[in-house]
Amino acid sequence: MALVKTMEFKDGNLYLIDQRKLPRELSIFKCKDYKDVEFAIKDMVVRGAPAIGVAGAYGIVLAAQGCIGLSKEGFLNKMKESAEVIGNSRPTAVNLMWAVRRMEAVVEENKDKTNKEIYETLLNEAYIMEKEDLETNKSIARYGNEIIPEGATILTHCNTGALATVGYGTALGIIREAHYSGKNIRVFADETRPRLQGAKLTAWELVQEVIPATLIPDSVAPVLIRDGKIDVIIVGADRIASNGDTANKIGTYMLSQVAKDFNVPFYIAAPISTIDFGIDSGEQIVIEERDAKEITHINGARIAPEGINVYNPAFDVTPHQNITGIITEKGIIRSPYSVNLQFI
Amino acid sequence: MALVKTMEFKDGNLYLIDQRKLPRELSIFKCKDYKDVEFAIKDMVVRGAPAIGVAGAYGIVLAAQGCIGLSKEGFLNKMKESAEVIGNSRPTAVNLMWAVRRMEAVVEENKDKTNKEIYETLLNEAYIMEKEDLETNKSIARYGNEIIPEGATILTHCNTGALATVGYGTALGIIREAHYSGKNIRVFADETRPRLQGAKLTAWELVQEVIPATLIPDSVAPVLIRDGKIDVIIVGADRIASNGDTANKIGTYMLSQVAKDFNVPFYIAAPISTIDFGIDSGEQIVIEERDAKEITHINGARIAPEGINVYNPAFDVTPHQNITGIITEKGIIRSPYSVNLQFI
């Protein structure tokens, strides 16, 4: 088993696997300051809700590192500014905001200490978050494995693997766990237009670990669901409202709807940090619209004609009614979500 | 209005718009013999069920042209062989088989004439088919326009336009007709993975004619349907079974299923030659599987890792229960299809 290390903080720099270049090339993107981290998140050098949460925390660490020499007031102002910049680098995933707020709380609690002491406490907190993420994923994987039948064919969407997290993954972590526990599973991976994280990243992780897998265009999945070829669907989440409505990669809703029509179990796998108790339903989730070029160009070459309008939402919202269960590190939550999510 | 001329037979050659190169480049592919036509259909220089039907007919003309000098027996053998080759160049669209059989019948009826006379009769028959296709599409467009509300937002999939036919188009022909009749329509066009006919061809036709249109990834369409943003869906067909089950570009089924869940009208637009009365249901339709490279590579560059399996069906079957109506050149056929298709 090849262990993918999505990020590493070393010698005062954050090193990220450059996911824009996979699977062609395994190269490392070096972040020397928080502006580099902002760019890395925006441009999707690093992506996946849990991964950008921890990367964001290290972004705050880099911001602190860069202004240790300032006055206390200058330092605190800079911390505020960098939290703002990092927190807004992508709008939909709540983990990023959650991570930034946790780092801000550390600054607040320690504001009477020296800048260097605050920096060291922040660095320690980011280390803890990194370790927690891996433990969280292992726990999600163990709970999730309970609902995977022997010999199951599992459908997944986008990339929710080691690359989307600090390691192991959420939905793909469950698939790993099922595979290594000897269940003889098979995987169908949606290519996931427009950015093709399924083709580029999920397929890469599956091939690395020799898990039997087939790559399909997104629109093939509904036919497989209808035809009884899929036993269970597991996807990740970027934000879960307190009623269970879930924002995830565009294409998720379509799978959930057809799964519901044909009684195929449809699960979300996500850490509790993905739940946004501040919102009642999916209607309040801001859906990020990304650059039209993701649709009009491929590998830098124009494929669609000049002058065509484009609508390119990065996510969609799956209503809680379509979700069989939400697999978290503390167990599987089932309907009614507005009640059961409160008790985790 | 720019009139797109998908094909032209001139001076003993068949000239095709090379659809592999659009929208980057409007170039012409010259077929000098029937083997060139076989290649053009297989490699999708020309595509779209009605277009490959007529191109196939001209392929038979080119075969006849190339063996006028042979003995009668040699000539007839060559005609048989070329009909076989052309007829099998793509398996799912029934129009191709229909066109080839119609040309074979011409040979059979005229087999006592000279080779040159047979050739001339075949050429005339292909001309007639070409003209018929355009008239058929205009008629489909007029019937189809009746179901388009004023100010409608129309969703379509793949390319069913002038490029998919001899001219004007089927589903896209209806959209043209609605636009030019002043209904202030708007179009959402699915990009249509894997070959992106929506992004490359449909968007190109819509931009050429300044019809208000927005290009979307395929998996965005179900969200728009759910959210009430689509008034009517119209797509083409590659083969319609006698119970109304319809094979069309992969991704069609998904649209029909979500449309049914949310009561959005879902129409098929196709000439009667698309109906295969020889089969009872969609289960008997052979679904062409295309090269894995359509998924693993883009513009010749590998995007998915080596070693990943791929499933790449070109079409899916939409069950007749999901279809609001089938718009043909003789009117709109509605359920029960197994009865009503018999009476057209």
Side-chain angles (χ1 to χ4, degrees), chain A residues 227-245:
Chain A
D227 292 346
K229 304 274 174 65
I230 304 294
D231 298 303
V232 56
I233 302 168
I234 318 177
V235 301
D238 288 79
R239 190 184 297 216
I240 301 173
S242 51
N243 71 343
D245 291 352

Side-chain angles (χ1 to χ4, degrees), chain A residues 127-146:
Chain A
Y127 270 135
I128 291 171
M129 285 162 75
E130 185 182 334
K131 266 173 61 182
E132 279 176 358
D133 184 61
L134 193 58
E135 284 161 21
T136 294
N137 295 341
K138 291 266 171 90
S139 181
I140 289 172
R142 282 189 297 271
Y143 282 113
N145 194 19
E146 291 173 13

Side-chain angles (χ1 to χ4, degrees), chain B residues 251-266:
Chain B
T252 302
Y253 163 68
M254 154 188 96
L255 301 178
S256 78
Q257 184 63 26
V258 181
K260 192 185 174 205
D261 286 346
F262 292 93
N263 296 311
V264 174
F266 177 90

